[in-house]
Amino acid sequence: AEVLDKRGRDQLVSLDMRSNDIGPEGGEALFTALGRNLSLTALDLGVLGGVQRNRLGSKACPAMAAALALNTSLTSLSLFGNGMGTEGG
């Protein structure tokens, strides 16, 4: 999450974090930083070949919604296989 939170020095445009077992708390931290990021256009939090998942779950959804309301640069977001369910909206 720290790499995304570099206000004024944003250079990262694409981040692939598939299958990293981020978990709900890690997802909340990542989305909080994403809300302040000015350069990222693509973020992949999906599953790599059906192996280990990120397991963001519905708990990370409020932070994700807040980040997407603030972030104006992101154009691609993959959340495949994160178990957000219907609670995630």
Side-chain angles (χ1 to χ4, degrees):
E2 197 173 301
V3 72
L4 291 178
D5 197 11
K6 301 287 184 189
R7 290 175 231 138
R9 301 181 305 245
D10 298 321
Q11 300 297 317
L12 189 65
V13 294
S14 180
L15 183 58
D16 184 342
M17 295 190 67
R18 291 177 290 174
S19 299
N20 274 285
D21 199 20
I22 295 169
E25 292 79 16
E28 288 175 323
L30 184 67
F31 288 126
T32 298
L34 180 64
R36 295 186 290 260
N37 182 275
L38 304 173
S39 66
L40 198 70
T41 60
L43 176 59
D44 192 341
L45 297 171
V47 177
L48 184 61
V51 295
Q52 185 175 356
R53 300 174 186 271
N54 279 322
R55 297 179 182 88
L56 297 178
S58 60
K59 186 177 178 187
C61 291
M64 178 182 65
L68 294 176
L70 295 171
N71 184 292
T72 58
S73 61
L74 194 69
T75 58
S76 175
L77 175 62
S78 175
L79 298 167
F80 175 74
N82 273 286
M84 292 179 161
T86 56
E87 311 84 50

